[in-house]
Amino acid sequence: MAIGLIVWMGAVIMAGLSRSFLPLAIARSITGVGEASVVCLAPPYIMDNAPAAKKTLWLAVFYSGVPVGYALGFIYGALISSAFGAWWWPFLIEGVAMAPFVVIAIIAYKDPSMIVKKHNKLIPDGGDGEKMSMKEQISILMKTPIYVFLILGYGAYAFTMGGLSYWGPAYLHDFYDSSETVAAYSLGGITVACGLIATFLGSMYMDRKSRPFTQQKERGEITDDDLRAAKTQIGSKILFVVTTVGVIIGVAGAIIAVYILFMITLAGSEFFIFLGTGPVGMVLMSCVPPELRGQANAVAIFTMHLLGDFPSPFIIGVLFDLIGGYWTMILLIAWLGWAAIMWGVCFNLSRWKDQPFWFAIKNTFKRSGKVGVKAEDEVLNFRDSKESTNTKESKDSKI
């Protein structure tokens, strides 16, 4: 992690020293290399070292850095550039400001709790000590339906938030005749305020709902797998509910298209969406085997960028030219509906622990057992009916 932060700091300073496009593009690409080491390693470390009652909050603070950072970037970049009279000063100041955190990471490198013990290494079935290959790790993750639908929803979430952060100020300026400065500051202020407050509240609620299961685990009444299953179910339910509400509020404001109402509904929409920041991190870390958390986070971040904030600015820009700002903003916010759908599927799958995907889909509207526990009666009844149907079909074919 310390090496990654050093690479990131060097790349940011390099961007500040650039005076043409090519070195700037190279510097920004190297920045992503340094960032990758942090975003992949930090969440598993947080899960292992955060207090049991505050794990979701700690994860939420980490994951909120992406959307809140986007918003702060507009405010910070505009202020520093105006104050110093050049665009490159924000990069230089940011790079130097990272130095203390690099020192902390170097010191923490010698922390015994951060050293991977031999018994925690990945061991494939029948591997006799052989470390699991990356291909095998990815295969396990892709065979975990909850994880797959979670990162697909994460991609849709990043698409909307990335597009809104990039094109939001321009939309307010062109569609509502707001000045560029007021548009950037107002949108950035709303995102930062809603992000910080909602992230804290959503995380506290998630931890509160999970506390009974954490206490059961501490008393030895349930296993670690049961605890992770409970957190997955609780978190995915929160994600589905708050994202659905956020989409409805945001789309309604975009349709009404009155400036003050749009800003109010946008704030309400972002508030509900940011309530899921902590839960999405907790579900991501809980729905996969503990030893695969780092790889799971890496694939999730890659998918988020690939399907989200990487293509979003380009696609939204094309739509602005083709169909105008009104319909583009409606479609941009409505795209979050895919996140709500994906996370709704996650919740449904989590209700039927360890059961096949087709079983969970068939029983979408049926009540399952207790949170994190198999509904054995429903499972057995379903299998009996399935076997009965297969037997009847077999007899009919013989006749």
Side-chain angles (χ1 to χ4, degrees), residues 87-104:
W87 61 266
W88 55 77
W89 278 106
F91 289 102
L92 294 175
I93 295 175
E94 186 179 17
V96 173
M98 178 56 70
F101 298 98
V102 173
V103 174
I104 293 174

Side-chain angles (χ1 to χ4, degrees), residues 167-199:
W167 286 106
Y171 169 76
L172 295 178
H173 172 68
D174 296 340
F175 194 76
Y176 292 110
D177 295 324
S178 174
S179 69
E180 294 183 359
T181 302
V182 172
Y185 287 172
S186 59
L187 187 62
I190 287 174
T191 302
V192 171
C194 293
L196 294 177
I197 297 173
T199 294

Side-chain angles (χ1 to χ4, degrees), residues 107-123:
I107 295 174
Y109 172 72
K110 297 182 179 181
D111 183 352
S113 67
M114 295 188 67
I115 300 175
V116 178
K117 303 297 190 299
K118 183 176 180 180
H119 62 80
N120 285 334
K121 290 183 179 180
L122 297 174
I123 308 296

Side-chain angles (χ1 to χ4, degrees), residues 26-324:
I26 294 174
R28 298 305 293 157
S29 299
I30 298 175
T31 301
V33 176
E35 175 193 347
S37 66
V38 178
V39 299
C40 296
L41 298 176
Y45 177 74
I46 292 173
M47 287 293 293
D48 291 339
N49 293 275
K54 296 182 178 180
K55 288 184 184 293
T56 307
L57 179 60
W58 284 35
L59 281 174
V61 171
F62 176 80
Y63 282 107
S64 65
V66 174
V68 174
Y70 259 121
L72 281 176
F74 281 103
I75 300 174
Y76 165 78
L79 286 174
I80 300 300
S81 298
S82 299
F84 289 86
W87 61 266
W88 55 77
W89 278 106
F91 289 102
L92 294 175
I93 295 175
E94 186 179 17
V96 173
M98 178 56 70
F101 298 98
V102 173
V103 174
I104 293 174
I106 293 175
I107 295 174
Y109 172 72
K110 297 182 179 181
D111 183 352
S113 67
M114 295 188 67
I115 300 175
V116 178
K117 303 297 190 299
K118 183 176 180 180
H119 62 80
N120 285 334
K121 290 183 179 180
L122 297 174
I123 308 296
D125 293 338
D128 295 328
E130 181 183 355
K131 297 176 74 172
M132 185 180 293
S133 68
M134 181 178 294
K135 181 180 178 180
E136 292 172 314
Q137 295 177 41
I138 301 297
S139 176
I140 292 175
L141 294 176
M142 292 300 101
K143 292 178 181 179
T144 307
I146 293 179
Y147 174 77
V148 173
F149 282 99
L150 180 72
I151 62 175
L152 289 176
Y154 205 13
Y157 161 86
F159 186 94
T160 295
M161 299 307 295
L164 188 61
S165 298
Y166 190 91
W167 286 106
Y171 169 76
L172 295 178
H173 172 68
D174 296 340
F175 194 76
Y176 292 110
D177 295 324
S178 174
S179 69
E180 294 183 359
T181 302
V182 172
Y185 287 172
S186 59
L187 187 62
I190 287 174
T191 302
V192 171
C194 293
L196 294 177
I197 297 173
T199 294
F200 176 78
L201 294 178
S203 302
M204 295 298 290
Y205 181 74
M206 172 76 192
D207 283 332
R208 180 181 177 183
K209 297 291 289 184
S210 303
R211 189 173 300 124
F213 300 96
T214 302
Q215 293 171 345
Q216 284 184 301
K217 171 62 171 59
E218 293 173 348
R219 294 193 299 265
E221 297 174 2
I222 61 175
T223 65
D224 184 64
D225 286 344
D226 291 329
L227 176 61
R228 291 191 294 110
K231 289 184 176 181
T232 299
Q233 183 172 340
I234 294 169
S236 56
K237 182 178 181 179
I238 294 173
L239 282 174
F240 170 65
V241 173
V242 299
T243 306
T244 300
V245 175
V247 172
I248 294 173
I249 294 175
V251 171
I255 292 174
I256 295 172
V258 176
Y259 179 73
I260 186 64
L261 293 179
F262 175 76
M263 298 302 289
I264 292 174
T265 54
L266 180 64
S269 177
E270 289 195 354
F271 178 82
F272 275 96
I273 292 167
F274 280 121
L275 285 173
T277 303
V280 74
M282 181 56 70
V283 175
L284 180 61
M285 293 292 97
S286 299
C287 70
V288 298
E291 62 270 18
L292 291 181
R293 285 170 176 165
Q295 191 64 262
N297 200 56
V299 174
I301 296 297
F302 175 78
T303 304
M304 179 193 74
H305 289 310
L306 180 66
L307 302 180
D309 52 6
F310 172 68
S312 176
F314 172 76
I315 295 174
I316 298 305
V318 171
L319 289 177
F320 266 120
D321 293 335
L322 292 177
I323 62 177

